[in-house]
Amino acid sequence: MNVHEDVLLEILLRLPPKSVFRSRCVSKRWNQIINDSFFLNSYAERRKGPYDAGRLLAIIRCPNGISSPIEIVPPLDNQIGTIPRELGDFICSSNGLILCVRLSSNGHFFCCLNDVTYTVLNPLTKKWVSLPSPANVNLGILMGLVCEENTAQLVANYKVVHICNSIWQNELMIETYSSKTGKWIESKLFTTDYFRSRLFGAPLVLNGIFHWTVSDVFMAIYDPNDIGGENHLQLIEMPHTEARSYSTGFSRSSDGLLWYGENNIRQIMKFWMLPKGENGYRRSCTIPRQEWSLVHTVNLDSLCDNYSIISHVRTCMQDYYDLYMIALNPKNPLIVLFSICGTTFVCNIESKSMEPVQYHEPSTEDHICFYNLYPYFESPFLSSYALQ
């Protein structure tokens, strides 16, 4: 088949990432075009979509029961599959890649760990890479994966961080694994305050920056690519709330501003924005909660008044209704993914648009098992599919 270069480019730019990646096998010419940096960059720009937001590919459903599989449930009819239990527990996702960790201990408590195995996988291509264990396995408390936005070549570049705690001290030990070197590198990490973190905290990765909820009071951000600040863990106090938080989420707007969303036991969702200082969010002290600005407040009753579909869901479930914020869109903080009575919706707070997300929900009995739900967004970067 002889296809004009411009026509072929346009066809490939319109295909979903998985199809483009497979198209490399069609011919040497197609493979050369797809591997070219111009095409990789053009494709990434094209796939960012409206509001510079990723397309929701699936919901990752993680049960608390260790015998149950971690399911990747897509909004479409085609099943992506499950994460094999032998790979361990889901930690986070970044640009299409997923990090899992398998822990083994000598006793019933994870303070007696004798091995930590990290695995990076792409569930669409069903390929994964198990990493060598870090040197310090006993006190790992914060961990995460960042997949770099690579448009120069068709190679999946990523980093995995494993942070160890010295109790009640602001000096931590961090090990960073790089796919480029295949090695763990140890260094020290200094925090802006003393804190005791929740064990094995999982981050949200936004713009290549890790965001952890480390306690009921603090969140922590760490930028591994901050030149001169790579050993700095910035603590930020959470916004003050009058009611206990039920679920929370973070996001970054296009200008890099940090947003925080929560819904509480009063069935109210609130959205705060944190202004930047002269050096962004990097400071020598912890950022106080007073600097957050409350931007939006949305309650369940107003959602029912504005959207008949939500009112219908609530009416049909009069004996049981619940508002649960799953996540903020990683590229647009005012696009929120939430669930009411087991039905999932995507809502744009600014444009006041709403649509249901159709995917297989767990049954009422399954809800008793306490599933944690995490969004899995499509990566605009073809390099994520070149995991080797």
Side-chain angles (χ1 to χ4, degrees), residues 80-99:
I80 295 180
T82 60
I83 297 176
R85 275 310 311 183
E86 61 266 23
L87 299 186
D89 297 313
F90 169 85
I91 295 299
C92 67
S93 63
S94 174
N95 279 331
L97 296 185
I98 287 176
L99 177 67

Side-chain angles (χ1 to χ4, degrees), residues 102-165:
R102 186 177 71 249
L103 309 172
S104 61
S105 63
N106 294 321
H108 297 290
F109 300 98
F110 286 126
C111 60
C112 303
L113 287 176
N114 57 16
D115 190 34
V116 174
T117 302
Y118 290 105
T119 299
V120 178
L121 73 149
N122 187 311
L124 295 181
T125 61
K126 295 181 171 57
K127 290 186 177 182
W128 64 77
V129 176
S130 293
L131 310 184
S133 297
N136 301 294
V137 298
N138 289 332
L139 296 175
I141 56 166
L142 299 178
M143 54 192 75
L145 160 78
V146 57
C147 180
E148 297 178 1
E149 301 179 355
N150 187 9
T151 57
Q153 54 184 336
L154 203 57
V155 176
N157 295 328
Y158 56 88
K159 293 180 180 178
V160 174
V161 298
H162 175 87
I163 300 176
C164 301
N165 192 13

Side-chain angles (χ1 to χ4, degrees), residues 11-38:
I11 293 174
L12 292 173
L13 287 172
R14 292 173 179 267
L15 292 177
K18 188 176 180 179
S19 298
V20 176
F21 193 74
R22 288 179 172 178
S23 297
R24 297 181 307 152
C25 301
V26 173
S27 68
K28 290 183 179 180
R29 178 190 175 203
W30 284 38
N31 182 58
Q32 184 179 15
I33 291 174
I34 293 172
N35 278 274
D36 185 77
S37 60
F38 173 79

Side-chain angles (χ1 to χ4, degrees), residues 1-14:
M1 180 177 64
N2 187 16
V3 182
H4 193 274
E5 192 88 0
D6 293 340
V7 177
L8 178 57
L9 279 173
E10 187 61 31
I11 293 174
L12 292 173
L13 287 172
R14 292 173 179 267

